[in-house]
Amino acid sequence: MLKDYEHNAKYYETDQMGCVHHSNYIRWMEEARVDLMDQMGCGYRAMEEAGVCSPVLEVNCRYKSMVRFGDTVRIHAWIKEYNGIRMTIGYEMRDVSSGELRTRAESAHCFLTLDGRPVSLKRSYPEWDKLFRNMSEMEAGTVMRVCRVSAPFSSTASSPDIPIMAKGLSWASHATVMAVKPTPAATPS
C-alpha cells in the first residue's frame, strides 16, 4: 500500500514571521514525489540508471494555512495526469495532528533521455507507461491506488493482477502495490 509522506517543519525553514517560508513547500513536494515514485517501483535512481530523467516543467502551489516550526505535515502525492510523455503530480498537505489543510499543489514533468531528448515511455519503457497510466486513471475525485488483489476482494477480471478501483475502501492487508521494474523496449532497426 502506498503511504503518504510526512515532514516535520524545521526551525531553519521558518521566516521572520515564525511560519515556514513559502519556498520550502516546493522542496517538500519534491521529497514526497521522490518517495511516491520509489514506492511505485520506478524511483528517480532507477529511472536515471535506465537513462531517463523527469525534470520539473511547472509548479503551482496554493497556500491555505500556515505551517510553523515543529508542525508535522502529511503530504499526499498522486499522479493526476499522464500521457506517456508528460505527467502532473498532485499534492495535498495537511497538519498531522489537526487534519487542517495547509497546501494544495501540483507539479508538471516530462520524460527525457539523460542527454535531453524527449522520450515516450509508451514506446521505450512500456512497463513504466502502464504503471503511470494505471495510477493516473485511478484518480477520479478520490485518489485510488493500483493494487493486486490478494484476498478477500474480487474483481470481475479473470486475473488478480488487473488493477481495481474502490472509492473509500480501506485496503488494509488485502492489497499490495504493484511495482514494475522496466525493461527498455526493443528499438526497431
Side-chain angles (χ1 to χ4, degrees), residues 5-6 12 36 52 62 68 72 120 142-143 156 169 180 182 186 188:
Y5 181 78
E6 289 189 4
Y12 68 84
L36 170 69
V52 178
R62 292 167 301 284
R68 298 188 181 280
T72 300
S120 166
T142 302
V143 177
T156 57
L169 286 181
V180 178

Side-chain angles (χ1 to χ4, degrees), residues 128-179:
W128 278 345
D129 176 71
K130 182 178 179 181
L131 180 61
F132 283 115
R133 201 168 297 283
N134 287 339
M135 290 294 288
S136 68
E137 288 173 358
M138 296 185 95
E139 171 58 29
T142 302
V143 177
M144 308 298 173
R145 305 289 195 213
V146 176
C147 297
R148 268 187 257 190
V149 177
S150 57
F153 298 116
S154 64
S155 127
T156 57
S158 58
S159 168
D161 292 334
I162 302 292
I164 61 170
M165 291 188 284
K167 282 188 179 180
L169 286 181
S170 171
W171 296 104
S173 61
H174 304 299
T176 56
V177 174
M178 182 187 328

Side-chain angles (χ1 to χ4, degrees), residues 11-170:
Y11 184 76
Y12 68 84
E13 294 174 317
T14 62
D15 60 18
Q16 188 175 5
M17 295 183 293
C19 60
V20 170
H21 188 270
H22 65 276
S23 65
N24 289 297
Y25 293 81
I26 308 305
R27 291 182 182 95
W28 299 353
M29 290 164 56
E30 181 172 340
E31 292 172 15
R33 179 174 64 252
V34 168
D35 182 66
L36 170 69
M37 293 183 63
D38 282 343
Q39 288 186 68
M40 289 172 53
C42 55
Y44 277 91
R45 182 165 304 214
M47 290 178 73
E48 290 174 359
E49 287 173 357
V52 178
C53 61
S54 183
V56 176
L57 301 173
E58 179 180 339
V59 174
N60 180 0
C61 194
R62 292 167 301 284
Y63 305 98
K64 302 294 186 174
S65 61
M66 289 185 264
V67 176
R68 298 188 181 280
F69 166 64
D71 290 352
T72 300
V73 292
R74 179 171 293 121
I75 306 170
H76 181 70
W78 69 96
I79 297 179
K80 191 172 177 179
E81 297 172 5
Y82 171 79
N83 68 9
I85 299 169
R86 295 174 69 134
M87 74 174 166
T88 301
I89 308 283
Y91 308 87
E92 188 173 271
M93 300 179 201
R94 291 187 175 273
D95 183 81
V96 167
S97 60
S98 70
E100 183 179 356
L101 179 64
R102 300 296 190 199
T103 306
R104 280 203 178 109
E106 59 185 41
S107 58
H109 307 262
C110 65
F111 298 97
L112 302 175
T113 62
L114 295 179
D115 60 353
R117 288 179 285 149
V119 63
S120 166
L121 294 187
K122 184 175 184 176
R123 280 185 292 218
S124 301
Y125 299 91
E127 294 92 352
W128 278 345
D129 176 71
K130 182 178 179 181
L131 180 61
F132 283 115
R133 201 168 297 283
N134 287 339
M135 290 294 288
S136 68
E137 288 173 358
M138 296 185 95
E139 171 58 29
T142 302
V143 177
M144 308 298 173
R145 305 289 195 213
V146 176
C147 297
R148 268 187 257 190
V149 177
S150 57
F153 298 116
S154 64
S155 127
T156 57
S158 58
S159 168
D161 292 334
I162 302 292
I164 61 170
M165 291 188 284
K167 282 188 179 180
L169 286 181
S170 171

